[in-house]
Amino acid sequence: MSGWVVWAIVAVGLAVGEILTPGMFFLGPVALAAVLAAVVAAFGAGLGIELAIFIAAAIASLAFLRPIARAHLRMPARLRTGTAALVGAHGVVVERIDRHGGRVKIGGEVWTARAFDEAQVIEPGEQVDVVKIEGATALVYQ
């Protein structure tokens, strides 16, 4: 079996391993190194050169790509999207809020709202914090 075929099989095996272990992002960069070794082997390089290229490419891709991928796994609150981005936001009450309902303006949009603490009543014009979003209703606390 040709050397490039062996490296291609190794690359596919590592890529499958990466898919089956989400969140680690370790096997993917090594799979890229195996692809590069397969390309070198296809051009007729010897086993020593293939191994050197594989090791160097694995170290380089891990050193460069893994920190970028790990930074994207930890998404800070500022980068959250959808309703998750509203949790912790501040709003202004536009219609009296109690345990039955009300309305609050959050980030320029008016939302239906309920008091997070069922005993709390919040009057129009008061500042609130969004504790949770349930469907299309913001649960707020003063």
Side-chain angles (χ1 to χ4, degrees):
M1 189 177 310
S2 298
W4 72 270
V5 173
V6 173
W7 284 113
I9 292 170
V10 169
V12 169
L14 289 168
V16 168
E18 177 65 38
I19 292 168
L20 296 176
T21 57
M24 290 181 52
F25 201 69
F26 179 78
L27 299 175
V30 179
L32 290 175
V35 168
L36 187 59
V39 170
V40 169
F43 284 110
L47 181 61
I49 294 173
E50 294 169 19
L51 284 174
I53 293 292
F54 173 73
I55 292 169
I59 291 170
S61 64
L62 282 171
F64 180 72
L65 295 176
R66 193 159 195 255
I68 294 170
R70 305 240 340 133
H72 282 78
L73 288 177
R74 293 184 212 92
M75 187 179 300
R78 283 180 280 159
L79 298 179
R80 285 185 282 191
T81 60
T83 58
L86 297 176
V87 175
H90 305 292
V92 178
V93 177
V94 294
E95 182 181 303
R96 184 177 187 226
I97 297 174
D98 56 21
R99 65 184 174 139
H100 300 293
R103 296 174 66 79
V104 64
K105 189 172 192 175
I106 307 166
E109 297 180 347
V110 177
W111 283 72
T112 57
R114 278 194 338 256
F116 184 71
D117 178 2
E118 292 186 3
Q120 190 176 34
V121 175
I122 309 167
E123 297 299 329
E126 295 190 42
Q127 297 282 327
V128 292
D129 294 322
V130 178
V131 177
K132 186 178 180 183
I133 301 290
E134 287 184 351
T137 302
L139 276 76
V140 298
Y141 191 80
Q142 186 179 26

Tab-separated table of all heavy atoms in Angstrom, residues 3-4 7 32-42 50-51 53-54 57:
chain	number	residue	atom	x	y	z
A	3	GLY	N	2.361	4.985	0.570
A	3	GLY	CA	2.464	5.808	1.780
A	3	GLY	C	1.368	6.850	1.874
A	3	GLY	O	0.828	7.111	2.960
A	4	TRP	N	1.013	7.459	0.737
A	4	TRP	CA	-0.003	8.511	0.778
A	4	TRP	C	-1.369	7.953	1.163
A	4	TRP	O	-2.160	8.631	1.808
A	4	TRP	CB	-0.072	9.273	-0.542
A	4	TRP	CG	-0.679	8.518	-1.687
A	4	TRP	CD1	-0.024	7.737	-2.581
A	4	TRP	CD2	-2.064	8.472	-2.020
A	4	TRP	NE1	-0.909	7.196	-3.478
A	4	TRP	CE2	-2.179	7.633	-3.154
A	4	TRP	CE3	-3.207	9.035	-1.501
A	4	TRP	CZ2	-3.391	7.354	-3.763
A	4	TRP	CZ3	-4.424	8.766	-2.103
A	4	TRP	CH2	-4.502	7.931	-3.224
A	7	TRP	N	-1.364	7.573	4.959
A	7	TRP	CA	-1.555	8.883	5.591
A	7	TRP	C	-2.994	9.378	5.414
A	7	TRP	O	-3.563	9.988	6.326
A	7	TRP	CB	-0.589	9.912	5.019
A	7	TRP	CG	0.812	9.745	5.544
A	7	TRP	CD1	1.904	9.360	4.833
A	7	TRP	CD2	1.257	9.956	6.886
A	7	TRP	NE1	3.006	9.320	5.648
A	7	TRP	CE2	2.637	9.687	6.913
A	7	TRP	CE3	0.635	10.338	8.060
A	7	TRP	CZ2	3.394	9.791	8.077
A	7	TRP	CZ3	1.388	10.445	9.217
A	7	TRP	CH2	2.755	10.175	9.217
A	32	LEU	N	-5.097	17.400	9.914
A	32	LEU	CA	-4.547	18.284	8.865
A	32	LEU	C	-3.077	17.973	8.604
A	32	LEU	O	-2.623	17.994	7.453
A	32	LEU	CB	-4.712	19.746	9.267
A	32	LEU	CG	-6.131	20.288	9.272
A	32	LEU	CD1	-6.146	21.712	9.809
A	32	LEU	CD2	-6.727	20.233	7.884
A	33	ALA	N	-2.334	17.678	9.656
A	33	ALA	CA	-0.929	17.310	9.494
A	33	ALA	C	-0.801	16.004	8.718
A	33	ALA	O	0.107	15.855	7.882
A	33	ALA	CB	-0.253	17.196	10.854
A	34	ALA	N	-1.703	15.065	8.965
A	34	ALA	CA	-1.673	13.792	8.227
A	34	ALA	C	-1.990	14.017	6.751
A	34	ALA	O	-1.415	13.354	5.880
A	34	ALA	CB	-2.661	12.804	8.847
A	35	VAL	N	-2.880	14.946	6.446
A	35	VAL	CA	-3.176	15.276	5.044
A	35	VAL	C	-1.927	15.844	4.378
A	35	VAL	O	-1.594	15.473	3.235
A	35	VAL	CB	-4.360	16.271	4.955
A	35	VAL	CG1	-4.496	16.839	3.547
A	35	VAL	CG2	-5.649	15.602	5.389
A	36	LEU	N	-1.240	16.735	5.075
A	36	LEU	CA	-0.011	17.303	4.514
A	36	LEU	C	1.045	16.212	4.293
A	36	LEU	O	1.739	16.203	3.264
A	36	LEU	CB	0.532	18.410	5.429
A	36	LEU	CG	1.708	19.203	4.902
A	36	LEU	CD1	1.355	19.883	3.582
A	36	LEU	CD2	2.153	20.233	5.912
A	37	ALA	N	1.151	15.278	5.232
A	37	ALA	CA	2.087	14.156	5.065
A	37	ALA	C	1.682	13.286	3.878
A	37	ALA	O	2.540	12.784	3.149
A	37	ALA	CB	2.146	13.328	6.343
A	38	ALA	N	0.383	13.120	3.648
A	38	ALA	CA	-0.089	12.347	2.492
A	38	ALA	C	0.300	13.031	1.187
A	38	ALA	O	0.704	12.375	0.226
A	38	ALA	CB	-1.603	12.162	2.564
A	39	VAL	N	0.199	14.359	1.149
A	39	VAL	CA	0.589	15.113	-0.048
A	39	VAL	C	2.084	14.947	-0.307
A	39	VAL	O	2.516	14.703	-1.446
A	39	VAL	CB	0.202	16.598	0.097
A	39	VAL	CG1	0.817	17.442	-1.010
A	39	VAL	CG2	-1.312	16.755	0.131
A	40	VAL	N	2.879	15.045	0.742
A	40	VAL	CA	4.334	14.882	0.600
A	40	VAL	C	4.655	13.462	0.126
A	40	VAL	O	5.512	13.265	-0.743
A	40	VAL	CB	5.044	15.214	1.942
A	40	VAL	CG1	6.503	14.810	1.903
A	40	VAL	CG2	4.901	16.688	2.260
A	41	ALA	N	3.940	12.476	0.686
A	41	ALA	CA	4.168	11.079	0.282
A	41	ALA	C	3.772	10.851	-1.174
A	41	ALA	O	4.410	10.069	-1.885
A	41	ALA	CB	3.381	10.139	1.198
A	42	ALA	N	2.722	11.548	-1.625
A	42	ALA	CA	2.277	11.402	-3.014
A	42	ALA	C	3.328	11.905	-3.993
A	42	ALA	O	3.396	11.433	-5.131
A	42	ALA	CB	0.959	12.148	-3.225
A	50	GLU	N	8.380	12.303	5.467
A	50	GLU	CA	6.941	12.289	5.754
A	50	GLU	C	6.678	12.452	7.255
A	50	GLU	O	5.826	13.239	7.665
A	50	GLU	CB	6.309	10.979	5.266
A	50	GLU	CG	6.330	10.813	3.769
A	50	GLU	CD	5.954	9.404	3.340
A	50	GLU	OE1	5.335	8.669	4.143
A	50	GLU	OE2	6.273	9.037	2.188
A	51	LEU	N	7.435	11.687	8.057
A	51	LEU	CA	7.270	11.784	9.509
A	51	LEU	C	7.667	13.164	10.034
A	51	LEU	O	6.999	13.719	10.911
A	51	LEU	CB	8.090	10.702	10.218
A	51	LEU	CG	7.500	9.292	10.175
A	51	LEU	CD1	8.472	8.287	10.770
A	51	LEU	CD2	6.175	9.250	10.922
A	53	ILE	N	7.595	16.021	8.395
A	53	ILE	CA	6.539	16.951	7.978
A	53	ILE	C	5.300	16.779	8.861
A	53	ILE	O	4.690	17.748	9.307
A	53	ILE	CB	6.176	16.733	6.485
A	53	ILE	CG1	7.339	17.116	5.580
A	53	ILE	CG2	4.904	17.471	6.110
A	53	ILE	CD1	7.647	18.592	5.558
A	54	PHE	N	4.924	15.516	9.131
A	54	PHE	CA	3.758	15.241	9.967
A	54	PHE	C	3.937	15.829	11.367
A	54	PHE	O	3.047	16.518	11.882
A	54	PHE	CB	3.504	13.731	10.051
A	54	PHE	CG	2.424	13.363	11.027
A	54	PHE	CD1	1.094	13.608	10.736
A	54	PHE	CD2	2.735	12.774	12.242
A	54	PHE	CE1	0.086	13.281	11.635
A	54	PHE	CE2	1.743	12.437	13.145
A	54	PHE	CZ	0.416	12.688	12.844
A	57	ALA	N	4.031	19.736	11.190
A	57	ALA	CA	2.712	20.277	10.873
A	57	ALA	C	1.736	20.079	12.025
A	57	ALA	O	0.898	20.951	12.298
A	57	ALA	CB	2.166	19.627	9.598
